[in-house]
C-alpha cells in the first residue's frame, strides 16, 4: 500500500480561544474543556489520530494552555523507545515577538518540528470536535489524488454556513474543490440538496513540502489573517491543488449505523450540551462503548461510582445518565445528566438535564435543572439552579437563549 511507504506526521491545532464557550473557557483552552465526565475535548482528535496509526503528533497550544499541557503530558505519554510521542508545543515566539496570529501562523512558527521529522504527509486537525474518524482512509485518498491538499468535509444545514468553510466542488471532477469560502454570509445550497452545504471539518491532509511552501508564502503576506481556513486552503484551491474527502465514506471499525457519520462542532454552550445529550440516549447517537476505536483519556486513579440510600433509608433513582468515577450519589434523583468525576449528590437532591464537571457538590434537597456546573461548584442545601433564568442572570451566571444556565468554576450557589 502506498501509504505504508509514506511518513505521516500529525499536527493538532489547539490554540483557539473558544469565546463562544465562555464561561467554560474563562481559564482553560477550549480543547481542554471537559467532556462526557472523564474526557477533554482534545481526546477525540488525539484518539482518532492514534487509532489511525499516526504516532508522532504535536499539539500547538497558545491560549490559557496550562490545563491542556498538563492533560497532554499526563494522559498522552508515549513510550519514547518506539519513537512515538504526543507533545504539546506552546507558542515560542521563534519568528519574532508575537504570539500565533492565526492557525497558519501557528504552523509557520512550528515549521522546525516538520523539518526535524521530514514527513511526506502532514495531517492537520482541529481540537474541538466530537467524532470518530479514520485518517488513514483520508490519507490514502489524498495520495491517490496527487493533489497538494485534501480537506475533510461533511454536509451541514445551510443556515450554519457562517460557522464553516463552505466547499464547492467541480461538477466534472467532484473530488476537486473549485471554490472555498470561509464562513460566508450568503451561499447556495448543494445541487442535490438545496438546504445543505458541504462544510469543511477543519481537518486537512497536505503534502509536507507544499504545506511548508504555502505557510511560508502566507507569512510574508501582510494582508493575510494567517488562517488555515481563511487563507491557506483558498490559496491551494486557487492553484487547482485542493481535493475534498467526503466524511460519508469514512468507515471506522465498530461504528454503528447511528453514529457512523457523527461529527459535532461543540463550539457553543448549546451544541456542547446537545452533544452530551447524544451520549445518554438509550440507543446513543454517539456510542462511547466502541472498543474497536477507543477514545482514550486520563485513567483516573479513583474509586468506582457508588449509589446508596441516604441516612434515612430513602433510595435514589437514576436513569439515562452517565456517572463518572469517584462519585457518590445518595438518596437523590438523577435523570438525563452527565456527572463528572468525584461528584457528590446528597439526600433528596434532584439533578435533571444537566452536566457537571469534576468535584461538583449538590447538597441535600438542592435542585439542578438544565444547567452546566463547572469544576468545584457547590449547590447549597435547598438551593436551586436552572429553574429561574432571571434569578440565575441576577446571580451573574450565563443563561443561553435556549435557557441553559452555566455556573462558573468554584461558584457557590446559595439558597
Ligand atoms: P474555526 O473553528 O472557526 O473554523 P479556528 O478558530 O481557526 O477556526 O479554529 C480551528 C482550530 O485551530 C481549532 O482547533 C483552534 O483551537 C485552533 N486554532 C485557532 N487559532 C489558533 C492559533 N492561533 N494557534 C493554534 N491553534 C489555533 C475552522 C475552519 C473552517 C471549518 C471549521 C470546522 O477555519 O473552515 O469549517 O473549522 O469546525
Amino acid at each position: 500500500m502506498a501509504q505504508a511507504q509514506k511518513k505521516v506526521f500529525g499536527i493538532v491545532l489547539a490554540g483557539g480561544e473558544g469565546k463562544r464557550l465562555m464561561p467554560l473557557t474563562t481559564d482553560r483552552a477550549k480543547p481542554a474543556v471537559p467532556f462526557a465526565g472523564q474526557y477533554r475535548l482534545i481526546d477525540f482528535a488525539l484518539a482518532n489520530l492514534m487509532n489511525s496509526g499516526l504516532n508522532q503528533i504535536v499539539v500547538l497550544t497558545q491560549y490559557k494552555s496550562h490545563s491542556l499541557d498538563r492533560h497532554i503530558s499526563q494522559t498522552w505519554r508515549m513510550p519514547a523507545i518506539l519513537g512515538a510521542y504526543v507533545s504539546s508545543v506552546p507558542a515560542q515566539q521563534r519568528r519574532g515577538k508575537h504570539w500565533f496570529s492565526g492557525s497558519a501562523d501557528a504552523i509557520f512558527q512550528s515549521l522546525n518540528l516538520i523539518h526535524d521529522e521530514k514527513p511526506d504527509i502532514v495531517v492537520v486537525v482541529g481540537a474541538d470536535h466530537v467524532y470518530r474518524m479514520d485518517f488513514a482512509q483520508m490519507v490514502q485518498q489524498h495520495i491517490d489524488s496527487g493533489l497538494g491538499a485534501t480537506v475533510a468535509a461533511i454536509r451541514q444545514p445551510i443556515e450554519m454556513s457562517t460557522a464553516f468553510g463552505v466547499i464547492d466542488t467541480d461538477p466534472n471532477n467532484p473530488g476537486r474543490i473549485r471554490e472555498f469560502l470561509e464562513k460566508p454570509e450568503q451561499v447556495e445550497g448543494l445541487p442535490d440538496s438545496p438546504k445543505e452545504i458541504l462544510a469543511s471539518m477543519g481537518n486537512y491532509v497536505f503534502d509536507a513540502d507544499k504545506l511548508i511552501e504555502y505557510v511560508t508564502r502566507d507569512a510574508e503576506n501582510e494582508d493575510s489573517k494567517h488562517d488555515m481556513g481563511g487563507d491557506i486552503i483558498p490559496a491551494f484551491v486557487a492553484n487547482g491543488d485542493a481535493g475534498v474527502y467526503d466524511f460519508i465514506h469514512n468507515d471506522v471499525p465498530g461504528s454503528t449505523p447511528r453514529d457512523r457519520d457523527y461529527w459535532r462542532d461543540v463550539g457553543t454552550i448549546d451544541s456542547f450540551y446537545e452533544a452530551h445529550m447524544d451520549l445518554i440516549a438509550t440507543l446513543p447517537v454517539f456510542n462511547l462503548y466502541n472498543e474497536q476505536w477507543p477514545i482514550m483519556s486520563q485513567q483516573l486513579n479513583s474509586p468506582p461510582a457508588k449509589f446508596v440510600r441516604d441516612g434515612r433509608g430513602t433510595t435514589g433513582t437514576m436513569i439515562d445518565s452517565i456517572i463518572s468515577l469517584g462519585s457518590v450519589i445518595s438518596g437523590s434523583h438523577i435523570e438525563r445528566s452527565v456527572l463528572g468525576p468525584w461528584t457528590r449528590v446528597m439526600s433528596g437532591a434532584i439533578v435533571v438535564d444537566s452536566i457537571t464537571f469534576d468535584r461538583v457538590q449538590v447538597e441535600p434537597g438542592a435542585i439542578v435543572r438544565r444547567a452546566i456546573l463547572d469544576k468545584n461548584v457547590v449547590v447549597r442545601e435547598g438551593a436551586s439552579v436552572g429553574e429561574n433564568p432571571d434569578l440565575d442572570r441576577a446571580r451573574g451566571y450565563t443563561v443561553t437563549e435556549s435557557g441553559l444556565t452555566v455556573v462558573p468554576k468554584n461558584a457557590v450557589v446559595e439558597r
Side-chain angles (χ1 to χ4, degrees):
M1 206 171 80
Q3 195 189 318
Q5 296 146 19
K6 302 266 185 190
K7 177 162 174 170
V8 187
F9 183 68
I11 296 181
V12 181
L13 296 169
E17 259 189 83
K19 284 201 190 99
R20 292 171 304 152
L21 267 185
M22 284 293 215
L24 304 178
T25 45
T26 305
D27 56 16
R28 57 169 87 83
K30 182 171 164 189
V33 170
F35 186 81
Q38 71 187 41
Y39 303 89
R40 304 276 187 147
L41 282 179
I42 196 169
D43 294 330
F44 291 86
L46 290 173
N48 284 327
L49 291 170
M50 297 277 299
N51 289 334
S52 302
L54 276 86
N55 62 9
Q56 294 185 324
I57 301 167
V58 292
V59 179
L60 305 184
T61 67
Q62 162 163 257
Y63 173 83
K64 293 181 180 160
S65 58
H66 173 66
S67 62
L68 182 58
D69 290 343
R70 197 184 46 210
H71 175 70
I72 291 166
S73 58
Q74 288 177 353
T75 304
W76 291 92
R77 213 172 3 198
M78 298 292 147
I81 200 164
L82 301 176
Y85 58 83
V86 174
S87 57
S88 100
V89 181
Q92 295 175 58
Q93 303 193 341
R94 278 175 176 266
R95 302 270 183 165
K97 288 211 174 303
H98 63 90
W99 299 118
F100 301 152
S101 49
S103 49
D105 186 42
I107 294 181
F108 175 71
Q109 289 200 40
S110 312
L111 282 181
N112 60 308
L113 304 167
I114 301 182
H115 289 306
D116 285 352
E117 291 297 349
K118 300 185 181 53
D120 303 294
I121 303 277
V122 182
V123 177
V124 177
V125 305
D128 35 28
H129 296 102
V130 176
Y131 65 119
R132 282 197 174 81
M133 179 165 178
D134 181 0
F135 286 101
Q137 295 170 32
M138 180 177 173
V139 167
Q140 189 61 55
Q141 184 198 295
H142 172 85
I143 293 168
D144 294 345
S145 76
L147 295 167
T150 302
V151 181
I154 187 168
R155 289 180 178 223
Q156 292 288 298
I158 195 165
E159 58 276 11
M160 307 218 13
S161 69
T162 52
F164 295 123
V166 177
I167 294 169
D168 186 24
T169 56
D170 183 344
N172 300 319
N173 184 355
R176 194 172 289 225
I177 303 180
R178 177 167 72 172
E179 189 176 40
F180 186 97
L181 297 172
E182 179 72 354
K183 304 176 184 162
E185 294 289 339
Q186 286 252 310
V187 69
E188 275 181 32
L190 291 168
D192 66 349
S193 176
K195 292 195 172 143
E196 288 186 310
I197 51 159
L198 193 56
S200 161
M201 297 164 69
N203 293 338
Y204 318 104
V205 177
F206 297 98
D207 285 357
D209 52 351
K210 293 258 178 79
L211 176 65
I212 294 169
E213 179 191 324
Y214 276 71
V215 295
T216 304
R217 199 176 322 128
D218 176 79
E220 289 155 10
N221 179 357
E222 289 184 359
D223 298 329
S224 172
K225 289 196 175 126
H226 311 301
D227 183 49
M228 291 305 287
D231 304 288
I232 302 297
I233 297 302
F236 273 95
V237 171
N239 289 332
D241 204 15
V244 62
Y245 175 76
D246 195 334
F247 185 56
I248 203 142
H249 300 309
N250 203 257
D251 193 8
V252 170
S255 57
T256 67
R258 285 172 77 85
D259 78 355
R260 213 193 115 113
D261 320 332
Y262 190 89
W263 178 80
R264 291 290 185 279
D265 180 314
V266 286
T268 64
I269 297 289
D270 286 327
S271 60
F272 178 79
Y273 177 81
E274 289 307 326
H276 279 86
M277 295 302 120
D278 290 341
L279 300 174
I280 55 180
T282 317
L283 283 174
V285 190
F286 185 74
N287 177 24
L288 282 174
Y289 305 87
N290 175 355
E291 288 185 289
Q292 294 178 57
W293 196 271
I295 306 300
M296 294 77 101
S297 188
Q298 53 191 330
Q299 290 299 317
L300 295 166
N301 188 9
S302 302
K306 178 176 173 184
F307 302 84
V308 292
R309 286 158 220 272
D310 65 13
R312 282 170 308 201
T314 313
T315 51
T317 44
M318 211 269 304
I319 188 76
D320 296 338
S321 296
I322 288 172
I323 316 292
S324 306
L325 291 178
S327 298
V328 180
I329 315 293
S330 58
S332 41
H333 178 68
I334 316 284
E335 191 168 349
R336 289 185 306 277
S337 294
V338 177
L339 307 190
W342 293 86
T343 302
R344 294 282 176 275
V345 187
M346 301 173 190
S347 173
I350 296 175
V351 179
V352 176
D353 295 322
S354 294
I355 301 167
T356 67
F357 290 3
D358 356 357
R359 294 181 191 276
V360 163
Q361 181 163 320
V362 183
E363 294 187 351
I367 300 176
V368 178
R369 249 185 242 285
R370 278 185 67 72
I372 301 175
L373 310 183
D374 202 329
K375 186 172 175 176
N376 296 336
V377 164
V378 178
V379 185
R380 284 275 184 243
E381 182 160 358
S384 72
V385 64
E387 294 218 298
N388 178 345
D390 293 334
L391 171 64
D392 287 346
R393 275 195 204 96
R395 287 160 155 169
Y397 306 151
T398 302
V399 180
T400 69
E401 266 180 36
S402 70
L404 276 170
T405 297
V406 188
V407 182
K409 193 168 158 183
N410 301 329
V412 178
V413 181
E414 301 285 355
R415 197 171 171 155

